[in-house]
Structures are given as structure tokens and as C-alpha cells.
Amino acid sequence: MKSLLKIASLLLLLTIGGSTQAQTATEVAALKRELAKYKAADKLVQEHLKTFDTLDYTVFSNQQWARMHESHGKDIKVFWPDGHITTGLATHIEDMKALFVYAPDCRIKHHPIRMGSGDLTAVSGVFEGTFTKPMPIGNGKFIQPTGKKFNFPMATIGVWKDGVMVEEHLFWDNKAFMDQIGLGK
């Protein structure tokens, strides 16, 4: 971003003050091309971030799984906070659906930090919900709901290619989550 501001400032100075011997028309044209590259790269990052906002605020929070392809590649690789890694959009959707089994009101409605560079984006958010339904733990066993709310920070780093994420790295504190829903300590 500093480079972009430096280029823009130099272009402004050249436009206002005219060229000196060292600042030829060729140099100005080169700077304009460089500025155009930065603008195009920033535009792409902003598009990815807008797509990600829609993913969390609308698609995830409202369980619109049929729209997941708008932000995720079919062979997406997802790195979860508990250490497991999945490959494929269908598997990722099933993992996300599992969150709503015991907390049907799961949602992410804020991204206080949104940034990116090139094919990478990073957002932070607040993951919220209430543990109101039995939580499956395998072998036909369940943990009964505590009725407790959860509200904790999360972050996602996305790797983008051709307009969709091909990798998604999810981060949150599972201990804080367990403590908040009454299963920690």
C-alpha cells in the first residue's frame, strides 16, 4: 500500500509541477502502468473480500449450502482449528452443517478486520450461537445441550484462484468455545 501511495504522489507531483530532466515522459508512462497494476490487484482483493462477506453473513449464517460454489472451489482444501484437514466442497459443507446440528443459530455477522494481497485474503470475525440441541460425539452418543451462548473471535485466511478459494484456513480457540458452552474447564 505504501508503494501505491508513493506512485500516486509522484504522479500527482509530475502532473502539477511538470517534468524535470530526470522525469521523462517514458518514466511517467512506466509509473502510470505500475499504478494501474496496483489498482487492478487491489480491485481483485476487494472483490474477494466482498465475496467472503457474502459467504459468512449470508451463505454460512443462513445455511445456503447450494451457494457455496460462489466462494469455494470444488476441490477446496480446508484446514480446521482442531487440526483436521478436508478436501472437497461436499466434505466442507458436511462439516459446516455439523455445526448447526447442536447450535442451529450459528452465525458470523461481522468482519472487523478485512485485508488481502494478491491471491490471499484474511478476515477476522465473531462466531456466535447457542448450544440448544444434542451434540453428536460418535457411536450414537450425544452431549445434551447446556443452553449456553457462545461468542468468540475467529479468523479465516483464504487462498484464491479463478475467483474462488482453493484453500481455507480457519482459526478459533476451541478451549474458549468449550468453556462458553459449558463443556470446558
Side-chain angles (χ1 to χ4, degrees), residues 50-103:
K50 183 178 177 184
T51 299
F52 203 87
D53 289 346
T54 300
L55 165 67
D56 273 357
Y57 305 162
T58 304
V59 177
F60 173 79
S61 295
N62 296 309
Q63 302 180 65
Q64 296 178 358
W65 309 125
R67 293 185 61 194
M68 287 294 293
H69 70 280
E70 295 173 16
S71 55
H72 288 68
K74 69 177 180 93
D75 296 320
I76 188 162
K77 191 170 187 178
V78 181
F79 298 79
W80 286 82
D82 65 2
H84 85 279
I85 301 168
T86 62
T87 301
L89 183 55
T91 302
H92 185 42
I93 289 171
E94 290 307 310
D95 277 356
M96 289 189 304
K97 284 180 180 180
L99 298 170
F100 289 85
V101 167
Y102 59 87

Side-chain angles (χ1 to χ4, degrees), residues 105 112 179:
D105 65 341
D179 288 349

Side-chain angles (χ1 to χ4, degrees), residues 95-165:
D95 277 356
M96 289 189 304
K97 284 180 180 180
L99 298 170
F100 289 85
V101 167
Y102 59 87
D105 65 341
C106 280
R107 63 200 173 276
I108 299 171
K109 295 291 185 178
H110 313 293
H111 286 155
I113 299 172
R114 304 166 71 253
M115 66 179 82
S117 178
D119 291 329
L120 298 174
T121 57
V123 300
S124 70
V126 179
F127 191 24
E128 301 176 84
T130 314
F131 182 18
T132 57
K133 302 285 183 188
M135 179 188 290
I137 57 172
N139 296 326
K141 295 182 182 178
F142 295 86
I143 297 173
Q144 293 306 309
T146 61
K148 294 189 176 199
K149 294 184 178 300
F150 57 89
N151 179 315
F152 55 87
M154 54 74 64
T156 302
I157 297 173
V159 179
W160 297 77
K161 183 177 179 186
D162 299 326
V164 293
M165 280 188 286

Side-chain angles (χ1 to χ4, degrees), residues 3-19 23 27-28 31-32 35 39:
S3 296
L4 181 61
L5 291 174
K6 188 185 250 183
I7 292 169
S9 298
L10 185 54
L11 283 173
L12 181 62
L13 286 173
L14 291 173
T15 302
I16 294 170
S19 297
Q23 299 162 332
E27 290 172 320
V28 171
L31 288 172
K32 286 181 178 179
L35 180 58
K39 285 181 176 180

Side-chain angles (χ1 to χ4, degrees), residues 41-52 114-116 121:
D42 185 58
K43 181 180 178 196
L44 187 58
V45 166
Q46 294 309 314
E47 288 171 9
H48 292 329
L49 289 170
K50 183 178 177 184
T51 299
F52 203 87
R114 304 166 71 253
M115 66 179 82
T121 57

